[in-house]
Amino acid sequence: QVQMAESGGGLVQAGGSLRLSCAASGSIFRFNSGGWYRQAPGRQRELVAHITSGGSTHYADSVKGRFTIDRDNAANAVYLQMDSLKPEDTAVYYCDVNVTLIGWHGTSWYPSNDYWGQGTQVTVSS
């Protein structure tokens, strides 16, 4: 029904920048919201940033002023611009999008569901 494509991770020195991209494709009627989460070794997955289709954003305190989330509703895509990266930002980053599907899907018309990307590694060296 929906395929996810996530990219943009890598290795960068402290103070550097990376841009993550995540796009959903398939039987999508509407993009509702998107978010980025991260999980470091031995830690729980945490919310990094979230954006609605209208552009309202929310950031974790640890990334405010350094990370910027954006979206392209027509492309069903969400992005994360990460600047002034720190070693403590090292983690696997996952995107999550909430979309409304087209038509009938088993039990309802035009259901809205969450879909996760496969994760991308971000490593920041000191």
Side-chain angles (χ1 to χ4, degrees), residues 15-52:
S17 298
L18 285 173
R19 182 173 174 81
L20 306 183
S21 298
C22 173
S25 60
S27 302
I28 298 171
F29 175 71
R30 182 180 62 223
F31 173 88
N32 298 319
S33 64
W36 289 93
Y37 295 73
R38 67 186 180 187
Q39 188 167 19
R43 302 189 65 176
Q44 289 188 331
R45 189 174 297 189
E46 62 175 354
L47 175 66
V48 176
H50 182 268
I51 189 168
T52 66

Side-chain angles (χ1 to χ4, degrees), residues 36-108:
W36 289 93
Y37 295 73
R38 67 186 180 187
Q39 188 167 19
R43 302 189 65 176
Q44 289 188 331
R45 189 174 297 189
E46 62 175 354
L47 175 66
V48 176
H50 182 268
I51 189 168
T52 66
S53 61
S56 297
T57 58
H58 170 78
Y59 296 93
D61 289 342
S62 59
V63 307
K64 282 181 181 177
R66 301 188 297 121
F67 291 10
T68 303
I69 190 170
D70 200 358
R71 87 277 183 245
D72 182 338
N73 293 347
N76 302 311
V78 61
Y79 310 96
L80 187 67
Q81 177 67 38
M82 304 186 293
D83 299 318
S84 303
L85 282 160
K86 303 176 181 180
E88 51 263 44
D89 293 320
T90 295
V92 178
Y93 284 70
Y94 299 89
C95 67
D96 167 45
V97 298
N98 183 278
V99 297
T100 299
L101 302 180
I102 296 172
W104 176 258
H105 286 270
T107 59
S108 61

